[in-house]
Amino acid sequence: MKRLLDKINSPLDLKRIDQRSLPRLAQEIRQEIIDVVSETGGHLASSLGAVELAIAAHYVLDAPRDKILWDVGHQAYAHKLLTGRRKSFRTLRQLGGISGFPNRGESEYDVFTVGHSSTSISSAVGLAAARDIRGTNEKIVAIIGDAALANGMAFEAMNHAGHLRKDLIVILNDNELAISRSVGALSRYLNSILQNPVYNKVHTDLEKLVKKIPMFGLTTYRAARKFERGVKNLLVPGIFFESLDFRYFGPIDGHNIDLVINNLRRIVKLKGPIILHTITKKGKGYKFSEEYPTDFHGSYPFDKMSGEKTAAGKKVATYTSAFSEKITELAAERKDIVAVSAAMLPGTGLNRFAEKFPERIFDVGIAEGHAVTFAAALARGGFKPFIAIYPTFLQRAYDQMVHDVCLQDLGVVFCLDRAGMVGEDGATHNGMFDISYLRHIPNMIVASPKDAEELKAMMGLAANIDKPFSIRYPKGGQLFGIGENMPSSKVELGKSEVLKEGKHVVILALGSMVGVSLEVAELLSKSGIDAAVVNARFIKPLDRELIEELSKKFSKFVTIEENVVSGGFGSAVLEFIDRENIKGIELKAIGLPDEFIEHGKREELMRKYNLTPEGIAGVIARELFDRQPV
Ligand SMILES: Cc1ncc(C[n+]2csc(CCOP(=O)(O)OP(=O)(O)O)c2C)c(N)n1
């Protein structure tokens, strides 16, 4: 039988499908998502959980005129399939293909480019304010998960929406999970709603009652609402949403398409901020993602039959696992070591710590700003906090680092996993700005290890230094270009390591680019260029002594880093040369360009941005030596 999905090129085609056939369509969409993600990898479990919500939203609303905002956007694969990207869906997350998140450049149905959590209600309020000034009447709907709702930004936006009383709808996609368990008092509160049958019955009865008395319309309805609030006050502790001036509907089964459609049809007609609470199952419709939603949150490619990750996703030794080992070891030795995560226990490797030291782990939820100030206060309270976080998400906590950690010179350790290019998650997730946003904050130490052993050594050093200390390391395997840990000298604060002597040029390489630089040196030697290679280790404090010494021997310097060149490690070296008035140095700063970098395989992107050994050797040979590389 021909698939219904194959007829859908836009939401208009969806609307032509009989409502009774929509469950079949949901089934087909699920299968398509499983088929594709098993090959490309991606956010399987969240997307499977939001299929009916996407269908219902597009069935009832009139996008792109009406605005549908997906929070984080990792659950929007069904939305993509329904909005003209059915044919390109197989290129998901691949270089030149469609993004794994809503992206304005990709489709007019993607209202906001996203990837970071908890922006949808703010965007909805802003779009509603713009609409009202303009005097148009499109509907604005934000779809947000229970974990994303617990972020400060979502709270701030609800507070504002309640104040402005704008017409907008928030669909809460509640599956009781973040990547792992949803944490926090809000999560407990949502749970209490689900477990309160009395309230649910009163709520439904009231609606039925009101609908039966059309003659009295608004007055009756208002009176009923007042009564309802009174009843709710008795039955639901807090009536959290209603207190913020949102009208609360639900909870309803978010996989029952008729129910979601009928509720949406009703509430789009209402005024003011509204929240529709839907209950969904993360990973719905695929045995393995239902059973292991955390493993299938962001998944590598997998075998559909067994659920096993295929070669591309097989576990290799990673920086994350080295971090995980070391933090557990440190905590076993020292009772003052505590760890903080913003809803990323599995991704950062903190779950092992969490199991071993449950009283010393703090998962604060998707709340990066809070995580940093909270850690500052843990340090102030006499503990040694390690925050494990992705640098792209730490961007959310810049002021907290400045004002709460560095200004007070508190001993918080920031372990920045996924620094550099992350590959398939693309522009919203690349960790390419952290050197620039960290190194200019007074008191902050910024380090980057060349391999996993060095990461452990740096963590050991950081544990014993009572200052803000950040360590950045890339996603995945230990070394790029070499394949195993290199012999290491002792890691000392602000000291680099000379790995190879040379005569003509010195390469100061950082972190992931150290292994690459050794290969660069080998390639250069074929062109008769003898390059020295230094493993910089510290961006701040810089190894001033070594740079001064090198400047007496070399007139050509190269810096290589996996960060934007603007404000990065190369800038730090240039600033030092300038400040110390060192003359006669020609410096080539190699790194990432001043642009957002799209999704694709990391290797492809490294090639595209010329950060391969061949690419870098070519640049050095041509630009510093006026030679064509061999
Ligand atoms: C600012 C920020 N922090 C962390 C993340 C990583 N992250 C992506 S999805 C997710 C969990 C989202 O849970 P929820 O909102 O409940 O949606 P679900 O996946 O359960 O549907 C997290 C922590 C992010 N995208 N943005």
Short mmCIF file of all heavy atoms in Angstrom, two decimals, residues 340-399:
data_model
loop_
_atom_site.label_atom_id
_atom_site.label_comp_id
_atom_site.label_asym_id
_atom_site.label_seq_id
_atom_site.Cartn_x
_atom_site.Cartn_y
_atom_site.Cartn_z
N VAL A 340 29.11 18.98 39.49
CA VAL A 340 27.87 19.65 39.09
C VAL A 340 27.64 19.41 37.60
O VAL A 340 28.56 19.50 36.80
CB VAL A 340 27.97 21.18 39.36
CG1 VAL A 340 26.69 21.89 38.92
CG2 VAL A 340 28.26 21.46 40.83
N SER A 341 26.38 19.12 37.26
CA SER A 341 26.02 18.95 35.85
C SER A 341 24.71 19.67 35.59
O SER A 341 23.83 19.72 36.45
CB SER A 341 25.85 17.46 35.54
OG SER A 341 25.18 17.29 34.31
N ALA A 342 24.58 20.22 34.40
CA ALA A 342 23.31 20.83 34.01
C ALA A 342 22.60 19.87 33.05
O ALA A 342 22.64 20.03 31.83
CB ALA A 342 23.55 22.19 33.37
N ALA A 343 22.00 18.85 33.60
CA ALA A 343 21.19 17.86 32.85
C ALA A 343 22.00 17.04 31.86
O ALA A 343 21.45 16.54 30.89
CB ALA A 343 20.02 18.55 32.15
N MET A 344 23.29 16.91 32.10
CA MET A 344 24.13 16.20 31.14
C MET A 344 24.98 15.13 31.81
O MET A 344 26.15 14.95 31.44
CB MET A 344 25.04 17.21 30.41
CG MET A 344 24.33 18.30 29.65
SD MET A 344 23.32 17.70 28.28
CE MET A 344 24.60 17.21 27.16
N LEU A 345 24.42 14.42 32.76
CA LEU A 345 25.22 13.40 33.45
C LEU A 345 25.81 12.37 32.47
O LEU A 345 27.02 12.14 32.49
CB LEU A 345 24.38 12.68 34.51
CG LEU A 345 24.01 13.46 35.77
CD1 LEU A 345 23.20 12.58 36.71
CD2 LEU A 345 25.24 13.97 36.50
N PRO A 346 25.00 11.76 31.58
CA PRO A 346 25.61 10.74 30.73
C PRO A 346 26.60 11.34 29.71
O PRO A 346 27.68 10.81 29.54
CB PRO A 346 24.41 10.11 29.99
CG PRO A 346 23.19 10.65 30.64
CD PRO A 346 23.55 11.87 31.39
N GLY A 347 26.22 12.44 29.09
CA GLY A 347 27.06 13.03 28.03
C GLY A 347 28.43 13.43 28.52
O GLY A 347 29.43 13.29 27.82
N THR A 348 28.49 13.93 29.75
CA THR A 348 29.78 14.41 30.26
C THR A 348 30.55 13.33 30.99
O THR A 348 31.69 13.55 31.39
CB THR A 348 29.55 15.57 31.26
OG1 THR A 348 28.72 15.10 32.32
CG2 THR A 348 28.92 16.77 30.60
N GLY A 349 29.93 12.18 31.19
CA GLY A 349 30.62 11.09 31.89
C GLY A 349 30.51 11.17 33.40
O GLY A 349 31.26 10.52 34.12
N LEU A 350 29.56 11.95 33.88
CA LEU A 350 29.42 12.08 35.34
C LEU A 350 28.52 11.01 35.95
O LEU A 350 28.37 10.96 37.17
CB LEU A 350 28.88 13.46 35.70
CG LEU A 350 29.92 14.56 35.95
CD1 LEU A 350 29.25 15.88 36.28
CD2 LEU A 350 30.90 14.18 37.06
N ASN A 351 27.92 10.16 35.13
CA ASN A 351 26.97 9.19 35.73
C ASN A 351 27.65 8.19 36.66
O ASN A 351 27.07 7.76 37.64
CB ASN A 351 26.07 8.51 34.69
CG ASN A 351 26.77 8.23 33.42
OD1 ASN A 351 27.97 8.45 33.33
ND2 ASN A 351 26.05 7.75 32.42
N ARG A 352 28.91 7.87 36.33
CA ARG A 352 29.64 6.94 37.19
C ARG A 352 29.89 7.58 38.57
O ARG A 352 29.69 6.95 39.61
CB ARG A 352 30.97 6.64 36.51
CG ARG A 352 31.69 5.52 37.13
CD ARG A 352 32.61 4.84 36.16
NE ARG A 352 33.74 4.33 36.91
CZ ARG A 352 35.00 4.47 36.57
NH1 ARG A 352 35.31 5.12 35.48
NH2 ARG A 352 35.95 3.96 37.31
N PHE A 353 30.28 8.83 38.54
CA PHE A 353 30.48 9.59 39.77
C PHE A 353 29.16 9.61 40.57
O PHE A 353 29.14 9.40 41.78
CB PHE A 353 30.92 11.01 39.41
CG PHE A 353 31.20 11.92 40.58
CD1 PHE A 353 32.51 12.24 40.94
CD2 PHE A 353 30.17 12.48 41.31
CE1 PHE A 353 32.78 13.08 42.01
CE2 PHE A 353 30.41 13.33 42.38
CZ PHE A 353 31.73 13.63 42.73
N ALA A 354 28.07 9.85 39.83
CA ALA A 354 26.75 9.96 40.47
C ALA A 354 26.39 8.67 41.20
O ALA A 354 25.82 8.69 42.30
CB ALA A 354 25.70 10.30 39.44
N GLU A 355 26.74 7.54 40.57
CA GLU A 355 26.43 6.26 41.22
C GLU A 355 27.28 6.05 42.47
O GLU A 355 26.80 5.58 43.50
CB GLU A 355 26.73 5.11 40.26
CG GLU A 355 25.58 4.78 39.35
CD GLU A 355 26.03 3.97 38.16
OE1 GLU A 355 26.99 3.17 38.29
OE2 GLU A 355 25.43 4.16 37.08
N LYS A 356 28.55 6.41 42.36
CA LYS A 356 29.47 6.16 43.48
C LYS A 356 29.32 7.15 44.62
O LYS A 356 29.53 6.81 45.78
CB LYS A 356 30.91 6.22 42.97
CG LYS A 356 31.32 4.99 42.20
CD LYS A 356 32.80 4.80 42.27
CE LYS A 356 33.13 3.32 42.37
NZ LYS A 356 34.53 3.05 42.40
N PHE A 357 29.04 8.40 44.28
CA PHE A 357 29.00 9.44 45.32
C PHE A 357 27.69 10.23 45.22
O PHE A 357 27.70 11.43 44.92
CB PHE A 357 30.20 10.40 45.15
CG PHE A 357 31.52 9.70 45.08
CD1 PHE A 357 32.17 9.54 43.87
CD2 PHE A 357 32.10 9.18 46.24
CE1 PHE A 357 33.39 8.87 43.81
CE2 PHE A 357 33.31 8.51 46.18
CZ PHE A 357 33.96 8.36 44.96
N PRO A 358 26.56 9.55 45.46
CA PRO A 358 25.27 10.23 45.25
C PRO A 358 25.11 11.50 46.08
O PRO A 358 24.41 12.41 45.68
CB PRO A 358 24.25 9.16 45.66
CG PRO A 358 25.00 8.10 46.37
CD PRO A 358 26.42 8.16 45.93
N GLU A 359 25.81 11.56 47.21
CA GLU A 359 25.65 12.76 48.05
C GLU A 359 26.53 13.91 47.58
O GLU A 359 26.39 15.03 48.04
CB GLU A 359 25.91 12.41 49.53
CG GLU A 359 27.34 12.13 49.94
CD GLU A 359 27.97 10.85 49.31
OE1 GLU A 359 27.27 10.02 48.69
OE2 GLU A 359 29.18 10.70 49.46
N ARG A 360 27.41 13.63 46.60
CA ARG A 360 28.30 14.71 46.15
C ARG A 360 28.08 15.08 44.69
O ARG A 360 28.89 15.77 44.09
CB ARG A 360 29.75 14.29 46.38
CG ARG A 360 30.14 14.42 47.85
CD ARG A 360 31.63 14.32 48.01
NE ARG A 360 32.09 12.97 48.25
CZ ARG A 360 33.32 12.55 47.97
NH1 ARG A 360 34.19 13.37 47.42
NH2 ARG A 360 33.68 11.31 48.25
N ILE A 361 26.98 14.59 44.10
CA ILE A 361 26.67 14.97 42.71
C ILE A 361 25.46 15.89 42.72
O ILE A 361 24.50 15.66 43.47
CB ILE A 361 26.40 13.72 41.83
CG1 ILE A 361 26.15 14.13 40.37
CG2 ILE A 361 25.22 12.91 42.32
CD1 ILE A 361 27.38 14.43 39.61
N PHE A 362 25.49 16.91 41.91
CA PHE A 362 24.35 17.82 41.80
C PHE A 362 23.97 17.98 40.34
O PHE A 362 24.68 18.63 39.58
CB PHE A 362 24.69 19.19 42.42
CG PHE A 362 24.98 19.11 43.88
CD1 PHE A 362 26.28 19.02 44.34
CD2 PHE A 362 23.94 19.08 44.81
CE1 PHE A 362 26.56 18.92 45.70
CE2 PHE A 362 24.21 18.97 46.17
CZ PHE A 362 25.52 18.89 46.62
N ASP A 363 22.87 17.35 39.95
CA ASP A 363 22.32 17.59 38.61
C ASP A 363 21.28 18.69 38.79
O ASP A 363 20.21 18.45 39.36
CB ASP A 363 21.69 16.31 38.06
CG ASP A 363 21.08 16.52 36.68
OD1 ASP A 363 21.08 17.68 36.19
OD2 ASP A 363 20.60 15.54 36.08
N VAL A 364 21.58 19.87 38.29
CA VAL A 364 20.70 21.02 38.56
C VAL A 364 19.61 21.18 37.50
O VAL A 364 18.81 22.11 37.57
CB VAL A 364 21.51 22.33 38.65
CG1 VAL A 364 22.54 22.26 39.75
CG2 VAL A 364 22.17 22.68 37.31
N GLY A 365 19.58 20.26 36.51
CA GLY A 365 18.64 20.42 35.41
C GLY A 365 19.25 21.35 34.36
O GLY A 365 20.42 21.75 34.45
N ILE A 366 18.45 21.68 33.34
CA ILE A 366 18.98 22.54 32.26
C ILE A 366 19.03 23.96 32.81
O ILE A 366 18.12 24.76 32.61
CB ILE A 366 18.10 22.46 31.00
CG1 ILE A 366 17.86 21.00 30.59
CG2 ILE A 366 18.76 23.22 29.85
CD1 ILE A 366 16.95 20.83 29.40
N ALA A 367 20.10 24.26 33.52
CA ALA A 367 20.16 25.52 34.25
C ALA A 367 21.63 25.92 34.39
O ALA A 367 22.19 25.90 35.48
CB ALA A 367 19.50 25.35 35.61
N GLU A 368 22.24 26.25 33.26
CA GLU A 368 23.70 26.46 33.25
C GLU A 368 24.11 27.65 34.12
O GLU A 368 25.11 27.58 34.83
CB GLU A 368 24.19 26.65 31.81
CG GLU A 368 24.18 25.38 30.96
CD GLU A 368 22.82 24.99 30.40
OE1 GLU A 368 21.85 25.79 30.56
OE2 GLU A 368 22.69 23.90 29.82
N GLY A 369 23.33 28.73 34.05
CA GLY A 369 23.67 29.91 34.85
C GLY A 369 23.64 29.56 36.33
O GLY A 369 24.58 29.85 37.08
N HIS A 370 22.59 28.91 36.73
CA HIS A 370 22.47 28.49 38.13
C HIS A 370 23.60 27.54 38.50
O HIS A 370 24.19 27.64 39.59
CB HIS A 370 21.11 27.84 38.37
CG HIS A 370 21.01 27.07 39.64
ND1 HIS A 370 21.15 27.68 40.88
CD2 HIS A 370 20.85 25.74 39.87
CE1 HIS A 370 21.05 26.74 41.81
NE2 HIS A 370 20.87 25.58 41.23
N ALA A 371 23.92 26.62 37.59
CA ALA A 371 24.97 25.63 37.88
C ALA A 371 26.27 26.33 38.26
O ALA A 371 26.95 25.93 39.21
CB ALA A 371 25.20 24.73 36.66
N VAL A 372 26.60 27.40 37.55
CA VAL A 372 27.88 28.07 37.78
C VAL A 372 27.86 28.83 39.11
O VAL A 372 28.79 28.72 39.91
CB VAL A 372 28.24 28.98 36.59
CG1 VAL A 372 29.45 29.84 36.90
CG2 VAL A 372 28.49 28.14 35.34
N THR A 373 26.80 29.57 39.37
CA THR A 373 26.74 30.31 40.65
C THR A 373 26.64 29.34 41.82
O THR A 373 27.26 29.53 42.87
CB THR A 373 25.54 31.28 40.63
OG1 THR A 373 25.69 32.13 39.50
CG2 THR A 373 25.50 32.13 41.89
N PHE A 374 25.89 28.28 41.61
CA PHE A 374 25.76 27.24 42.63
C PHE A 374 27.14 26.64 42.95
O PHE A 374 27.51 26.48 44.12
CB PHE A 374 24.80 26.17 42.10
CG PHE A 374 24.70 24.92 42.92
CD1 PHE A 374 24.04 24.93 44.14
CD2 PHE A 374 25.23 23.72 42.46
CE1 PHE A 374 23.93 23.77 44.90
CE2 PHE A 374 25.13 22.57 43.21
CZ PHE A 374 24.48 22.59 44.43
N ALA A 375 27.93 26.39 41.89
CA ALA A 375 29.27 25.83 42.10
C ALA A 375 30.17 26.85 42.80
O ALA A 375 30.97 26.49 43.68
CB ALA A 375 29.88 25.42 40.77
N ALA A 376 30.01 28.13 42.43
CA ALA A 376 30.80 29.18 43.10
C ALA A 376 30.51 29.14 44.60
O ALA A 376 31.42 29.22 45.43
CB ALA A 376 30.45 30.54 42.52
N ALA A 377 29.26 28.97 44.94
CA ALA A 377 28.87 28.95 46.35
C ALA A 377 29.35 27.67 47.04
O ALA A 377 29.70 27.69 48.22
CB ALA A 377 27.37 29.11 46.48
N LEU A 378 29.38 26.56 46.29
CA LEU A 378 29.94 25.33 46.88
C LEU A 378 31.41 25.57 47.23
O LEU A 378 31.89 25.15 48.30
CB LEU A 378 29.83 24.17 45.88
CG LEU A 378 28.47 23.51 45.71
CD1 LEU A 378 28.49 22.56 44.52
CD2 LEU A 378 28.07 22.75 46.97
N ALA A 379 32.12 26.27 46.34
CA ALA A 379 33.54 26.57 46.60
C ALA A 379 33.65 27.48 47.82
O ALA A 379 34.48 27.28 48.71
CB ALA A 379 34.18 27.22 45.38
N ARG A 380 32.78 28.45 47.86
CA ARG A 380 32.74 29.40 49.00
C ARG A 380 32.43 28.66 50.30
O ARG A 380 32.90 29.02 51.36
CB ARG A 380 31.65 30.44 48.68
CG ARG A 380 31.49 31.57 49.63
CD ARG A 380 32.61 32.59 49.50
NE ARG A 380 32.49 33.59 50.53
CZ ARG A 380 32.90 33.41 51.78
NH1 ARG A 380 33.47 32.29 52.14
NH2 ARG A 380 32.72 34.36 52.69
N GLY A 381 31.67 27.60 50.17
CA GLY A 381 31.29 26.79 51.34
C GLY A 381 32.34 25.76 51.70
O GLY A 381 32.08 24.88 52.52
N GLY A 382 33.49 25.81 51.05
CA GLY A 382 34.60 24.95 51.46
C GLY A 382 34.79 23.69 50.63
O GLY A 382 35.58 22.82 50.99
N PHE A 383 34.08 23.57 49.50
CA PHE A 383 34.23 22.37 48.67
C PHE A 383 34.99 22.68 47.38
O PHE A 383 35.26 23.84 47.06
CB PHE A 383 32.85 21.77 48.38
CG PHE A 383 32.31 21.04 49.58
CD1 PHE A 383 31.67 21.74 50.60
CD2 PHE A 383 32.49 19.67 49.72
CE1 PHE A 383 31.21 21.08 51.73
CE2 PHE A 383 32.04 19.01 50.84
CZ PHE A 383 31.39 19.71 51.85
N LYS A 384 35.32 21.61 46.67
CA LYS A 384 36.05 21.77 45.40
C LYS A 384 35.14 21.28 44.28
O LYS A 384 35.12 20.09 43.95
CB LYS A 384 37.34 20.94 45.46
CG LYS A 384 38.22 21.12 44.26
CD LYS A 384 38.91 22.46 44.27
CE LYS A 384 39.55 22.79 42.95
NZ LYS A 384 40.04 24.16 42.89
N PRO A 385 34.37 22.20 43.68
CA PRO A 385 33.43 21.74 42.64
C PRO A 385 34.06 21.61 41.26
O PRO A 385 34.84 22.46 40.84
CB PRO A 385 32.37 22.86 42.63
CG PRO A 385 33.05 24.05 43.22
CD PRO A 385 34.21 23.60 44.03
N PHE A 386 33.71 20.54 40.59
CA PHE A 386 34.02 20.35 39.16
C PHE A 386 32.69 20.45 38.41
O PHE A 386 31.77 19.69 38.71
CB PHE A 386 34.61 18.96 38.91
CG PHE A 386 36.08 18.85 39.20
CD1 PHE A 386 36.57 18.95 40.50
CD2 PHE A 386 36.99 18.62 38.17
CE1 PHE A 386 37.93 18.83 40.76
CE2 PHE A 386 38.35 18.50 38.42
CZ PHE A 386 38.83 18.61 39.72
N ILE A 387 32.62 21.38 37.47
CA ILE A 387 31.43 21.41 36.60
C ILE A 387 31.81 20.75 35.29
O ILE A 387 32.78 21.17 34.65
CB ILE A 387 31.00 22.85 36.26
CG1 ILE A 387 30.68 23.63 37.51
CG2 ILE A 387 29.81 22.84 35.32
CD1 ILE A 387 30.06 24.99 37.20
N ALA A 388 31.07 19.73 34.89
CA ALA A 388 31.31 19.13 33.58
C ALA A 388 30.22 19.63 32.66
O ALA A 388 29.02 19.43 32.92
CB ALA A 388 31.27 17.62 33.69
N ILE A 389 30.62 20.27 31.60
CA ILE A 389 29.64 20.98 30.77
C ILE A 389 30.18 21.12 29.36
O ILE A 389 31.39 21.08 29.15
CB ILE A 389 29.37 22.37 31.43
CG1 ILE A 389 28.17 23.08 30.82
CG2 ILE A 389 30.60 23.27 31.40
CD1 ILE A 389 27.64 24.22 31.70
N TYR A 390 29.28 21.25 28.38
CA TYR A 390 29.73 21.50 27.02
C TYR A 390 29.94 23.02 26.87
O TYR A 390 29.08 23.79 27.31
CB TYR A 390 28.70 21.06 25.98
CG TYR A 390 28.37 19.57 25.96
CD1 TYR A 390 27.43 19.08 25.06
CD2 TYR A 390 29.01 18.67 26.81
CE1 TYR A 390 27.11 17.73 25.02
CE2 TYR A 390 28.70 17.31 26.76
CZ TYR A 390 27.75 16.85 25.87
OH TYR A 390 27.44 15.52 25.83
N PRO A 391 31.00 23.42 26.20
CA PRO A 391 31.26 24.87 26.09
C PRO A 391 30.14 25.63 25.39
O PRO A 391 29.90 26.80 25.70
CB PRO A 391 32.55 24.95 25.29
CG PRO A 391 32.82 23.59 24.76
CD PRO A 391 32.09 22.63 25.61
N THR A 392 29.43 24.96 24.48
CA THR A 392 28.33 25.65 23.79
C THR A 392 27.22 26.02 24.79
O THR A 392 26.57 27.05 24.66
CB THR A 392 27.78 24.80 22.62
OG1 THR A 392 26.86 25.58 21.87
CG2 THR A 392 27.12 23.52 23.09
N PHE A 393 27.02 25.18 25.81
CA PHE A 393 25.99 25.48 26.80
C PHE A 393 26.51 26.42 27.90
O PHE A 393 25.73 27.15 28.51
CB PHE A 393 25.43 24.19 27.40
CG PHE A 393 24.85 23.24 26.39
CD1 PHE A 393 25.00 21.86 26.50
CD2 PHE A 393 24.15 23.73 25.28
CE1 PHE A 393 24.48 21.00 25.56
CE2 PHE A 393 23.63 22.86 24.32
CZ PHE A 393 23.79 21.50 24.46
N LEU A 394 27.81 26.39 28.11
CA LEU A 394 28.39 27.30 29.11
C LEU A 394 28.26 28.76 28.66
O LEU A 394 28.32 29.67 29.48
CB LEU A 394 29.86 26.93 29.38
CG LEU A 394 30.58 27.70 30.49
CD1 LEU A 394 29.90 27.51 31.85
CD2 LEU A 394 32.05 27.29 30.60
N GLN A 395 28.07 28.94 27.36
CA GLN A 395 27.82 30.31 26.86
C GLN A 395 26.68 30.98 27.62
O GLN A 395 26.65 32.18 27.78
CB GLN A 395 27.46 30.26 25.36
CG GLN A 395 28.64 29.96 24.48
CD GLN A 395 28.28 29.48 23.08
OE1 GLN A 395 29.12 28.95 22.40
NE2 GLN A 395 27.02 29.66 22.65
N ARG A 396 25.75 30.16 28.10
CA ARG A 396 24.60 30.66 28.84
C ARG A 396 24.99 31.27 30.19
O ARG A 396 24.18 31.90 30.84
CB ARG A 396 23.65 29.49 29.15
CG ARG A 396 22.83 29.02 28.00
CD ARG A 396 21.58 29.86 27.92
NE ARG A 396 20.83 29.61 26.72
CZ ARG A 396 19.77 28.83 26.65
NH1 ARG A 396 19.32 28.22 27.72
NH2 ARG A 396 19.13 28.70 25.51
N ALA A 397 26.22 31.00 30.64
CA ALA A 397 26.57 31.34 32.03
C ALA A 397 27.76 32.28 32.08
O ALA A 397 28.54 32.24 33.01
CB ALA A 397 26.85 30.06 32.80
N TYR A 398 27.87 33.11 31.08
CA TYR A 398 29.05 33.98 31.00
C TYR A 398 29.14 34.92 32.21
O TYR A 398 30.17 35.02 32.86
CB TYR A 398 29.00 34.76 29.69
CG TYR A 398 30.13 35.74 29.55
CD1 TYR A 398 31.42 35.30 29.31
CD2 TYR A 398 29.92 37.11 29.70
CE1 TYR A 398 32.47 36.19 29.21
CE2 TYR A 398 30.96 38.01 29.61
CZ TYR A 398 32.24 37.54 29.36
OH TYR A 398 33.27 38.42 29.27
N ASP A 399 28.07 35.60 32.51
CA ASP A 399 28.13 36.55 33.62
C ASP A 399 28.37 35.85 34.96
O ASP A 399 29.07 36.37 35.83
CB ASP A 399 26.85 37.39 33.70
CG ASP A 399 26.97 38.43 34.80
OD1 ASP A 399 27.92 39.23 34.75
OD2 ASP A 399 26.16 38.41 35.75
#
